[in-house]
Amino acid sequence: MAAQQRPSSKRGPSGAWSRLKTGPVDPLESYGLPSKGETRLNDFKAQEIYYSKIVERYMKFCAASGGSDKLDKQLAALSLNTTPPSTSAPPTLPSKPTPLFSPSRPSGSSAPKPAPLPTAELATILTALRKLREAIIATARRDIFAQRAYIFNIHAAILTKDWESYQPALLSLLYKIHPHTPLPAPDLHEFVGYWVLDLACRQSDLMAAHAARAVWGYKDRRVEVVLKALAHDDWVGFWKMRRAVDGYQKRVMEWAEDGVRLHALKCLGRGYMTADRTYVERCTGKGWEDLVKDGVGWELVEGEKIVIRRPKVK
């Protein structure tokens, strides 16, 4: 009698492999750059949903910054980063923009992932804005949504001094979107002002700045004083206007600060043997400790007097 055959059974996949799960994907990193071949953001509805996620993240970042002073420091720290953020893994640099919120995301393991550093979070937001901007360009979108997205992008990029983002966005807003979807007069005045200041302060092109004023019929007393101060090396007028303008204008003006400060230091070095500490700080727009860190070799004596030069002994 033939031996009874045992029923055959098929083994399933290894249990270890079946238990592996894909980790959560950051919604802002779920898309690639349209300039690298990403096409999913070519859909208008997808662009609008993606924009709402960016705004939500930015608002959370700002709320978690711990106050305007800390936020300003984080924004300044990120503006020092010259390396463009990676689209896959944002750099963990010492950041300045405090508006970076770092919500912890659960991983496949029981131990939660550490919350991302503020700079990394802000870098992710800025990269997402670049993706959205490229998608709007790829679809030649010039409606109200494109206008709103560009305005948000420009504001965020100016605060982080990311000129490679805000300059093309400014030009597109003014010369491509505005002719089809006109900006309200106050908004047009605001963004033309940023462009005039960028030409004068970052690009050091006062002639182009005045030409832009003429083309757009732009008039603003504070911006005019800034242009005049730069033309005449008037650091008193420049620092005065720096205190008077709003936060976005102030950030654009920072591009010219080093040149203004250097000129003030040279004038003090040639014209004074000694000077009061408060006067030097007022002329340079910077505290004494920061000036020393920058390499100023003058000597502080008696707490309040700075020795700039000592008389030569014959």
Side-chain angles (χ1 to χ4, degrees):
M1 183 176 180
Q4 186 177 1
Q5 294 183 354
R6 299 177 63 185
S8 61
S9 60
K10 296 182 178 180
R11 296 184 62 185
S14 172
W17 286 104
S18 63
R19 286 195 298 269
L20 290 178
K21 295 181 180 179
T22 304
V25 178
D26 188 332
L28 298 189
E29 297 179 344
S30 58
Y31 295 100
L33 287 167
S35 59
K36 303 294 184 180
E38 176 65 77
T39 59
R40 290 175 295 168
L41 278 175
N42 288 353
D43 179 74
F44 282 10
K45 186 63 177 178
Q47 293 175 7
E48 294 166 10
I49 293 174
Y50 193 58
Y51 171 74
S52 66
K53 292 178 180 178
I54 294 173
V55 174
E56 180 184 2
R57 287 279 285 272
Y58 186 77
M59 293 299 104
K60 288 180 179 179
F61 165 76
C62 292
S65 64
S68 60
D69 291 340
K70 292 183 179 179
L71 175 61
D72 189 65
K73 289 180 180 178
Q74 290 186 37
L75 289 169
L78 187 65
S79 68
L80 299 177
N81 174 29
T82 56
T83 304
S86 167
T87 57
S88 57
T92 55
L93 308 166
S95 60
K96 168 183 185 176
T98 299
L100 296 173
F101 50 107
S102 51
S104 58
R105 296 189 292 268
S107 64
S109 62
S110 59
K113 282 187 176 180
L117 294 177
T119 36
E121 176 68 1
L122 189 57
T124 299
I125 295 170
L126 293 176
T127 301
L129 284 170
R130 176 186 170 186
K131 296 173 185 177
L132 179 61
R133 189 174 69 249
E134 289 186 2
I136 292 174
I137 294 173
T139 54
R141 193 169 185 179
R142 298 172 182 175
D143 57 3
I144 291 293
F145 168 78
Q147 186 184 92
R148 185 169 67 252
Y150 267 74
I151 287 175
F152 182 85
N153 188 4
I154 293 167
H155 281 154
I158 284 178
L159 288 178
T160 57
K161 292 181 69 176
D162 182 9
W163 70 269
E164 292 178 324
S165 292
Y166 77 68
Q167 178 184 344
L170 262 176
L171 294 177
S172 294
L173 179 66
L174 294 175
Y175 292 98
K176 294 182 179 179
I177 297 177
H178 175 65
H180 290 80
T181 307
L183 288 160
D187 292 340
L188 180 62
H189 182 269
E190 174 187 356
F191 290 98
V192 170
Y194 298 153
W195 179 232
V196 171
L197 283 176
D198 182 78
L199 288 167
C201 297
R202 183 181 65 83
Q203 303 184 47
S204 302
D205 194 340
L206 289 173
M207 185 176 296
H210 284 290
R213 286 182 58 231
V215 168
W216 291 98
Y218 179 79
K219 294 182 180 180
D220 186 290
R221 186 190 65 83
R222 292 174 298 182
V223 173
E224 291 171 4
V225 172
V226 172
L227 299 185
K228 184 177 180 181
L230 291 173
H232 294 276
D233 293 323
D234 175 14
W235 64 79
V236 175
F238 182 87
W239 301 127
K240 181 179 179 181
M241 285 302 102
R242 184 180 179 275
R243 295 189 296 269
V245 298
D246 63 35
Y248 297 107
Q249 292 174 319
K250 176 182 176 181
R251 189 69 79 190
V252 178
M253 286 178 63
E254 286 181 5
W255 293 106
E257 285 186 9
D258 287 344
V260 173
R261 184 174 297 111
L262 179 61
H263 179 74
L265 288 170
K266 288 181 177 179
C267 290
L268 291 173
R270 292 168 184 164
Y272 292 86
M273 302 290 286
T274 63
D276 291 337
R277 172 176 175 171
T278 54
Y279 178 70
V280 172
E281 292 178 338
R282 189 165 61 249
C283 290
T284 59
K286 212 169 192 179
W288 171 250
E289 291 79 7
D290 292 328
L291 289 173
V292 172
K293 291 178 182 178
D294 290 343
V296 174
W298 300 339
E299 181 183 357
L300 179 65
V301 296
E302 300 176 0
E304 293 299 326
K305 180 169 290 188
I306 296 174
V307 177
I308 298 175
R309 290 181 296 149
R310 292 188 180 277
K312 295 181 179 180
V313 179
K314 296 183 179 180

